[in-house]
């Protein structure tokens, strides 16, 4: 009976993680459209984080400016660096050097990297079910991404940037798990955005920032920026931190496997592209892998 109650209690967080990943997956379309109108990756990240940070400050009651210790403040700085600046900049910049399929596949290895890092930190071998589930999902992602046209080109710069992006998100996830024992999701998210902005400053100084009213103050641009700020950043980052606190880190990270699957399915739906058997098979493998990993004994 207790196990049933426990399962019901955690089920809602699995649903929440699924919804967050779905939203993050479709942000690709908004980001791509913003890039097409002239905004740079650093522009999008700056406006996304600065507006979300202002909103989080308004919601912070009482407003706690710093962490309980200098060590924790340093960890929060690392959250902003790894989960903000490095993750987004490396991922978006990688698209300038390598194929989209390379970026999607390599960035989707985040759960496997998380699994490896978690095993090193805990000094114990992961459960066979978690390993099998992760590999199942990775195979499914590869099937969906490559589809019927298997094309992959090795580009050291682009592929290393992808790997850096995946590793950055892994480090962010593990740090969040540690901090969530002592701080609220709202506080951690606010500090993450703050330090994300701080660590982005050197890039903005070197590349500049777009301030043109003709670009920024148009309905298409403003609506997409507000979606990225209010939904994808403000709400999703905070709720993702809650999921990491309530669930196993590796299991939650496995939901990231769904991001490229959802992105491709959304593109098929919005662009009118037809589905084929590889997408269906790949999606089935992703879902099966997540089920196996999620139901293995931790």
């Amino acid at each position: 009976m207790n196990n049933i109650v426990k399962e019901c209690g955690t089920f809602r967080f699995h649903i929440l993680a699924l919804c967050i990943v779905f939203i993050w997956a479709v942000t690709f379309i908004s980001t791509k459209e913003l890039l097409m109108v002239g905004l740079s990756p650093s522009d999008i990240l700056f406006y996304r984080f600065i507006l979300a940070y202002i909103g989080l400050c308004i919601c912070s009651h009482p407003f706690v400016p710093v962490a309980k210790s200098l060590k924790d403040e340093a960890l929060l700085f690392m959250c902003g660096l790894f989960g903000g600046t490095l993750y987004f900049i490396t991922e978006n910049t990688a698209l300038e050097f390598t194929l989209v399929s390379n970026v999607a596949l390599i960035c989707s290895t985040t759960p496997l990297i998380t699994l490896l890092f978690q095993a090193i930190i805990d000094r114990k071998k992961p459960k066979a079910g978690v390993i099998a589930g992760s590999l199942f999902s990775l195979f499914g992602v590869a099937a969906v991404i490559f589809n019927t046209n298997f094309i992959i080109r090795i580009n050291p710069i682009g592929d290393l940037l992808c790997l850096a992006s995946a590793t950055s998100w892994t480090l962010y996830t593990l740090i969040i798990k540690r901090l969530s024992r002592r701080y609220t999701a709202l506080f951690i998210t606010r500090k993450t955005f703050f330090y994300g902005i701080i660590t982005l400053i050197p890039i903005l100084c070197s590349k500049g920032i777009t301030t043109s009213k003709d670009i920024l103050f148009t309905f298409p641009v403003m609506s997409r920026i507000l979606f990225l700020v209010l939904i994808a950043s403000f709400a999703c980052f905070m709720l993702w931190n809650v999921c990491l606190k309530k669930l196993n880190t590796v299991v939650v990270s496995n939901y990231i496997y769904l991001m490229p699957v959802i992105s491709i399915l959304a593109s098929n739906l919005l662009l009118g592209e037809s589905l084929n058997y590889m997408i269906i098979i790949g999606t089935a493998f992703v879902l099966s892998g997540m089920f196996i990993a999620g139901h293995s004994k931790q």
Side-chain angles (χ1 to χ4, degrees):
M1 184 65 181
N2 290 334
N3 290 333
I4 295 176
V5 173
K6 184 178 180 181
E7 286 292 330
C8 292
T10 59
F11 180 73
R12 66 180 184 273
F13 294 108
H14 285 282
I15 296 298
L16 180 58
L18 179 61
C19 293
I20 293 169
V21 167
F22 178 85
I23 292 172
W24 280 345
V26 298
T27 57
F28 170 78
I29 298 173
S30 295
T31 301
K32 184 175 181 180
E33 290 172 338
L34 289 174
L35 291 170
M36 291 174 63
V37 299
L39 294 180
S40 68
S42 56
D43 289 331
I44 298 171
L45 183 58
F46 173 74
Y47 288 120
R48 181 175 176 174
F49 271 31
I50 192 70
L51 293 175
Y53 177 71
I54 293 172
L56 287 166
C57 287
I58 295 173
C59 294
S60 296
H61 302 291
F63 186 89
V64 181
V66 295
K68 298 176 181 178
S69 67
L70 185 60
K71 181 179 179 180
D72 285 350
E73 194 68 28
L75 289 175
L76 289 165
F77 173 85
M78 292 170 66
C79 284
L81 177 63
F82 292 124
T85 302
L86 288 181
Y87 173 72
F88 286 104
I89 294 298
T90 52
E91 183 183 65
N92 292 337
T93 305
L95 291 169
E96 299 177 359
F97 295 95
T98 190
L99 299 174
V100 173
S101 58
N102 289 47
V103 175
L105 180 60
I106 296 174
C107 288
S108 294
T109 60
T110 299
L112 288 179
I113 299 175
T114 302
L115 184 66
L116 176 62
F117 275 52
Q118 191 70 62
I120 294 174
I121 293 174
D122 294 341
R123 296 182 181 180
K124 64 180 182 180
K125 183 179 179 180
K127 298 295 182 180
V130 175
I131 297 175
S134 297
L135 293 176
F136 255 71
S137 294
L138 183 61
F139 178 84
V141 167
V144 172
I145 291 171
F146 294 127
N147 211 328
T148 54
N149 298 314
F150 188 91
I151 301 175
I152 186 167
R153 299 173 187 170
I154 302 301
N155 184 303
I157 296 178
D159 294 341
L160 286 174
L161 284 171
C162 296
L163 186 59
S165 178
T167 304
S168 293
W169 189 259
T170 294
L171 293 173
Y172 166 75
T173 299
L174 294 174
I175 295 171
I176 288 295
K177 186 68 175 179
R178 182 173 179 178
L179 289 171
S180 63
R181 301 168 186 168
R182 300 187 292 277
Y183 302 96
T184 64
L186 178 61
F187 176 78
I188 295 172
T189 306
R190 177 172 60 81
K191 297 291 284 187
T192 297
F193 285 147
F194 172 75
Y195 284 120
I197 297 167
I198 296 299
T199 53
L200 184 62
I201 290 177
I203 298 176
L204 295 175
C205 290
S206 62
K207 293 188 175 183
I209 184 170
T210 301
T211 58
S212 173
K213 295 181 179 180
D214 294 335
I215 295 178
L216 295 175
F217 293 99
T218 60
F219 179 76
V221 172
M222 285 300 298
S223 61
R224 285 162 179 76
I225 289 178
L226 288 176
F227 167 71
L228 292 175
V229 170
L230 298 177
I231 307 300
S233 296
F234 183 90
C236 287
F237 264 77
M238 187 163 57
L239 294 174
W240 184 258
N241 293 343
V242 173
C243 291
L244 289 173
K245 182 176 183 178
K246 298 295 183 179
L247 301 173
N248 178 274
T249 304
V250 175
V251 173
V252 175
S253 295
N254 273 353
Y255 281 102
I256 293 174
Y257 281 127
L258 276 175
M259 290 183 67
V261 177
I262 295 172
S263 295
I264 292 176
L265 291 175
S267 297
N268 278 287
L269 178 63
L270 297 175
L271 301 178
E273 299 175 358
S274 60
L275 296 175
N276 58 51
Y277 71 95
M278 286 298 290
I279 292 178
I280 297 174
I281 292 174
T283 302
F285 266 93
V286 170
L287 296 176
S288 298
M290 291 172 56
F291 179 83
I292 293 171
H295 286 75
S296 63
K297 294 182 178 180
Q298 301 301 318

